[in-house]
């Protein structure tokens, strides 16, 4: 009986199932000589993505101003352009003929991405030059051993490096995740346990949960934990956990190693009021609070995208590409100086390096929930197609991602990133002169910005990441949190049932039998700042109270700025303190303004929640990159992932904290700034059944970079330049 429900069971693995189904629908090309009956041994991931979800195909989202072309004909134009469909297929062909793979089974490709050329070569490359040699960086598992390979696409040379499993494993493939969720169904004890908990197998949904690292018993094999839910009568199965039931699984053999059920007395929460879909809201419950609103651009957007990845807008230009681990990568961000007309370097590369999401419940079914979403699941792999008019406005441009399945076959993640101009009535600058001066001056300039957006749905949680470019030279990096809480089942239906007020619920009672567990979100960004060149310094500008001398002034105190240049990495390990304020500058000490100030940018902190976990707690050792809000390291192309190259089941031996403790010199060097946005989340009833978006951001702001206000000479809005839309037409 159980096998009959495999397909429906898999289909409702929301997020992962959707990703695979959309993957198939987005493929504009097929494997060689593929037909409806092609060989599923050779093209295993294609069979996974199509046949398992044939019963309910998903429609391709409508594209707004998105380009739509056959990715099979894509050609790289820039040294940093991502690998194309042709190039991924070529890598696959080269490797499957290589001695490591051709006589080995099983094997899986966990990532195939561009091995970026040396930074110095990219900086010296100009449009029109011959393209730098194209190489692929490959992470693969062959017969349960992890390898990092470099593939030269011109010479077909393959360089192989075997890794030590004690340092962790690569991010899971989509196939790892899906196969792990259905593997327990082959276990009779599991099926019997599900039925004993009152759940029909046809209503079962399960999630693959990374388990961190908690000692030697978890070493030398890839493990995963699986927990399950009832999806009866709701799409929001996350609100119906089968509490206390945890399956420990060998991810490679799919053997069930242990079944723990400590929640037999905890009821499964009811489905009532859990469905968040608009179609599920009764007609009498639907609300229309505002009239339609849209940003109209009768002359079209002000940005252009050249060769698919080079974005030019106002005074900015930068390279943009999707990435399976980071989501979106912004490279070679440069801004034009309004006085000299020179295009000036600001940042060589910026991206989401890692996320750390520890839940604050030490009990058996929860202690291991300390996710690292980029290194374990792939932040970009979990990026869903953006919804035109809702995720992004009308005049947005969409960029697709091209990624490999576990067998190396490329697929397209459509509408993964959007680029659009934003105007929310904000003000770029203003001044109105007081009537007492007799000067009738009122000067105001509107603020229009350019937004690069991607959204990742990592199972229940949704992350919206924006890179916002402003004409005054500021870059704002914003993260929004939405989606669905990971909740815990409980016997309590009302707080008045809790007689012992000292009892720890580990969260908030959100609805009958539902607890939202307290947790943190930390998002660490890699920011290779190149202020007018690669050799920069980090300056901590301490804001100190200065006491006046007796008789010096009617004032007793004032503030002064003490500038301290960081010599080594430990000088730049920054914990933010409200009552010990400072500014944090990245400067080019060899470039000065007209009046002698070093040119620079400063990081303006936001989202400053800090991790309060014990530094020796195993999750915090793995997430030690959150020990500080700011780090500065010397540029090293091998140090880009704050949690280490291989995060899954890692011990924390290859993190940003480990690198920084080497205390290398960072003065007047090519340096990388790291910043962590932090959120403490104590759930509340307004988060049920789906969370309103909560956002926080930090800024990279010019500081003595320009000679004066760089948007001084931009014009104000005037009536004749702006369209007037009729209400009927806009609605």
């Amino acid at each position: 009986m159980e096998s009959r429900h495999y397909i429906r069971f898999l289909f409702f693995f929301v997020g992962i199932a959707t990703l695979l189904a959309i993957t198939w629908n987005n493929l504009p090309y097929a494997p060689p000589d593929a037909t409806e009956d092609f060989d599923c041994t050779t093209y295993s991931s294609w069979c996974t993505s199509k046949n398992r979800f044939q019963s309910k195909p998903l429609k391709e989202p409508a594209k707004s101003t998105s380009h739509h072309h056959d990715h099979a004909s894509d050609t790289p134009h820039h040294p940093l352009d991502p690998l194309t469909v042709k190039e991924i297929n070529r890598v696959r062909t080269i490797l499957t003929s290589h001695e490591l793979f051709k006589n080995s089974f099983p094997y899986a490709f966990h990532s195939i991405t561009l091995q970026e050329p040396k930074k110095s070569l990219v900086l010296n490359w100009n449009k029109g030059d011959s393209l730098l040699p194209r190489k692929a960086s490959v992470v693969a598992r062959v017969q349960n051993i992890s390898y990092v390979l470099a593939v030269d696409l011109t010479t077909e040379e393959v360089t192989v490096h075997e890794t030590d499993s004690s340092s962790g494993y690569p991010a899971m493939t989509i196939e790892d995740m899906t196969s792990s969720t259905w593997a327990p169904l082959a276990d009779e004890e599991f099926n019997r346990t599900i039925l004993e908990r009152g759940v029909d197998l046809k209503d079962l949904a399960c999630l693959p949960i990374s388990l961190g690292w908690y000692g030697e018993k978890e070493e030398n094999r890839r493990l995963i934990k699986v927990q399950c839910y009832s999806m009866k009568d709701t799409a929001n199965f996350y609100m119906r956990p089968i509490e206390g039931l945890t399956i420990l699984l060998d991810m490679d053999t799919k053997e069930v190693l242990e079944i723990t059920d400590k929640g037999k007395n905890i009821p499964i929460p009811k489905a009532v009021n859990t469905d968040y879909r608009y179609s599920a809201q009764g007609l009498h419950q639907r609300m229309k609070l505002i009239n339609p609103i849209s940003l109209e651009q009768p002359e079209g957007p002000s940005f252009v995208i050249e060769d698919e990845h080079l974005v030019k807008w106002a005074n900015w230009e930068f390279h943009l590409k999707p990435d399976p681990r980071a989501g979106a990568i912004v490279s070679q961000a440069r801004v034009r100086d309004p006085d000299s007309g020179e295009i000036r370097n600001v940042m060589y590369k910026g991206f989401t390096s890692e996320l750390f999401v520890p839940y604050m419940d030490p009990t058996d079914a929860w202690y291991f929930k300390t996710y690292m979403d980029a290194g374990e699941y792939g932040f970009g792999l979990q990026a869903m197609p953006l919804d035109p008019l809702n995720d992004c406005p009308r005049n947005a441009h969409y960029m697709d991602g091209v990624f490999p399945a576990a067998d190396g076959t490329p697929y397209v993640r459509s509408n993964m990133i959007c680029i659009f101009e934003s105007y929310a009535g904000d003000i770029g600058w203003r001044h109105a002169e007081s009537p007492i001066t007799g000067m009738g001056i009122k000067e105001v300039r509107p603020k229009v910005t350019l937004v690069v957006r991607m959204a990742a749905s990592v199972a229940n949680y949704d992350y919206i990441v924006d890179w916002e470019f402003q004409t005054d030279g500021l870059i704002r990096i914003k993260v929004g949190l939405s989606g669905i809480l990971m909740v815990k089942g409980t016997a309590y239906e009302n707080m008045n049932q809790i007689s012992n007020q000292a009892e720890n619920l580990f969260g908030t009672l959100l609805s009958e039998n539902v607890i939202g567990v307290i947790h943190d979100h930390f998002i660490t960004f890699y920011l290779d700042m190149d202020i007018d060149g690669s050799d920069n310094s980090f300056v901590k500008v301490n804001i100190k109270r200065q006491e006046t001398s007796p008789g010096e002034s009617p004032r007793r105190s004032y503030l002064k700025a003490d500038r301290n240049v960081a010599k080594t990495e430990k000088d730049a390990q920054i914990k933010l303190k409200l009552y010990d304020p400072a500014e944090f500058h990245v400067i080019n000490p060899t470039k000065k303004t007209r009046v002698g100030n070093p040119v620079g940018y400063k990081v303006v902190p936001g989202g400053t929640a800090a991790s309060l976990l014990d530094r020796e707690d195993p999750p915090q050792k793995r997430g030690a990159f959150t020990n500080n809000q700011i780090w500065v390291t010397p540029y090293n192309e091998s140090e880009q992932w704050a949690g280490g190259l291989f995060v899954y089941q890692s011990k924390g031996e290859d993190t940003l904290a480990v690198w920084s403790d080497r205390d290398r010199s960072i003065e007047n060097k090519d340096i990388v700034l790291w910043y962590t946005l932090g959120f403490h989340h104590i759930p509340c009833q307004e988060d049920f059944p789906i969370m309103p978006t909560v956002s926080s951001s930090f800024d990279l702001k010019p500081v003595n970079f320009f000679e004066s206000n760089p948007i001084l000479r931009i014009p104000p809005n005037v009536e004749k330049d702006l369209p007037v839309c009729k209400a009927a037409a806009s609605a």
Side-chain angles (χ1 to χ4, degrees), residues 108-112 137-141 146-149 170-171 645-646:
F109 298 109
H110 288 249
S111 72
I112 301 176
S137 176
V138 179
V139 174
R141 295 262 298 160
S146 301
Y147 294 87
V148 177
L149 306 98
L645 178 62
F646 289 170

Side-chain angles (χ1 to χ4, degrees), residues 75-80 117 121-134 154:
T75 302
H77 299 277
H78 187 283
L80 299 178
L121 297 177
V122 176
L123 290 173
N124 288 325
W125 183 88
N126 293 297
K127 188 172 183 177
D129 294 349
S130 297
L131 202 61
L132 298 174
R134 301 279 286 175
T154 303

Side-chain angles (χ1 to χ4, degrees), residues 144-365:
N144 299 332
I145 298 175
S146 301
Y147 294 87
V148 177
L149 306 98
V151 180
D152 190 309
L153 289 164
T154 303
T155 66
E156 299 190 1
E157 180 183 357
V158 177
T159 304
V160 180
H161 174 64
E162 181 178 336
T163 67
D164 182 358
S165 64
S166 66
S167 63
Y169 298 104
M172 291 181 285
T173 65
I174 299 299
E175 289 83 349
D176 282 334
M177 292 181 245
T178 52
S179 59
S180 294
T181 59
W182 56 255
L185 283 171
D187 187 276
E188 291 184 6
E189 182 185 352
F190 171 80
N191 293 336
R192 185 169 57 251
T193 301
I194 294 298
L195 295 173
E196 288 173 354
R197 294 294 297 267
V199 177
D200 195 316
L201 291 178
K202 68 180 174 59
D203 295 323
L204 192 66
C206 294
L207 295 178
I209 301 175
S210 58
L211 72 171
W213 181 86
Y214 291 92
E216 294 181 0
K217 66 178 182 178
E218 297 179 352
E219 292 182 356
N220 301 317
R221 61 165 72 180
R222 284 201 309 158
L223 301 173
I224 193 166
K225 292 191 175 181
V226 178
Q227 293 185 335
C228 301
Y229 304 77
S230 171
M231 58 194 176
K232 183 176 174 58
D233 299 327
T234 183
N236 191 357
F237 62 82
Y238 301 102
M239 290 297 149
R240 306 202 69 203
I242 305 173
E243 188 57 49
L245 176 63
T246 305
I247 298 88
L248 178 64
L249 189 77
D250 185 308
M251 204 188 317
D252 291 316
T253 67
K254 299 301 181 287
E255 176 188 1
V256 173
L257 303 176
E258 182 179 80
I259 297 176
T260 305
D261 188 3
K262 296 187 176 182
K264 294 180 180 179
N265 297 322
I266 299 175
I268 295 173
K270 294 180 175 60
V272 63
N273 295 328
T274 61
D275 204 320
Y276 52 85
R277 295 171 298 173
Y278 190 69
S279 60
Q281 312 308 312
L283 291 176
H284 66 286
Q285 295 175 312
R286 296 180 182 180
M287 301 184 299
K288 184 179 179 182
L289 301 179
I290 59 173
N291 292 327
I293 185 170
S294 178
L295 175 65
E296 303 301 331
Q297 295 180 285
E299 298 181 18
S302 301
F303 64 90
V304 296
I305 298 180
E306 297 180 356
D307 297 329
E308 302 300 322
H309 295 284
L310 183 62
V311 182
K312 294 185 176 181
W313 172 79
N315 48 350
W316 280 101
E317 66 175 55
F318 54 89
H319 186 274
L320 175 66
K321 67 179 174 184
D323 183 83
R325 183 165 178 171
I329 296 179
V330 175
S331 299
Q332 291 196 286
R334 304 190 296 172
V335 66
R336 191 169 300 280
D337 191 291
D339 296 317
S340 68
E342 175 190 4
I343 191 82
R344 300 171 64 187
N345 293 319
V346 174
M347 182 180 72
Y348 180 73
K349 188 176 183 181
F351 60 88
T352 305
S353 178
E354 191 53 87
L355 298 90
F356 179 43
V357 188
Y359 281 76
M360 304 303 166
D361 184 337
T363 59
D364 184 75

Side-chain angles (χ1 to χ4, degrees), residues 631-680:
W631 311 73
V632 178
T633 59
Y635 174 81
N636 183 327
E637 62 184 20
S638 70
E639 297 177 0
Q640 298 194 44
W641 307 107
L645 178 62
F646 289 170
V647 169
Y648 199 92
Q649 287 180 247
S650 66
K651 305 174 188 177
E653 297 174 339
D654 182 32
T655 68
L656 170 58
V658 172
W659 311 333
S660 179
D661 278 345
R662 297 170 186 160
D663 206 23
R664 296 162 291 187
S665 173
I666 58 172
E667 185 179 10
N668 201 16
K669 304 281 188 181
D670 190 355
I671 57 176
V672 175
L673 173 73
W674 307 74
Y675 185 81
T676 296
L677 273 173
F679 300 78
H680 296 308

Side-chain angles (χ1 to χ4, degrees), residues 113-126:
T113 57
L114 176 74
Q115 180 175 298
E116 295 186 355
K118 294 289 185 183
K119 180 176 177 180
S120 59
L121 297 177
V122 176
L123 290 173
N124 288 325
W125 183 88
N126 293 297

Side-chain angles (χ1 to χ4, degrees), residues 592-655:
K592 303 290 179 66
T593 64
R594 185 183 69 255
V595 296
N597 291 310
V599 299
Y601 262 67
K602 65 180 177 181
V603 58
V604 183
T608 57
S611 179
L612 302 178
L613 296 179
D614 189 296
R615 293 294 180 259
E616 295 303 311
D617 196 345
Q620 189 60 38
K621 291 178 75 173
R622 300 177 70 235
F625 51 89
T626 65
N627 289 352
N628 300 303
Q629 285 78 47
I630 296 174
W631 311 73
V632 178
T633 59
Y635 174 81
N636 183 327
E637 62 184 20
S638 70
E639 297 177 0
Q640 298 194 44
W641 307 107
L645 178 62
F646 289 170
V647 169
Y648 199 92
Q649 287 180 247
S650 66
K651 305 174 188 177
E653 297 174 339
D654 182 32
T655 68

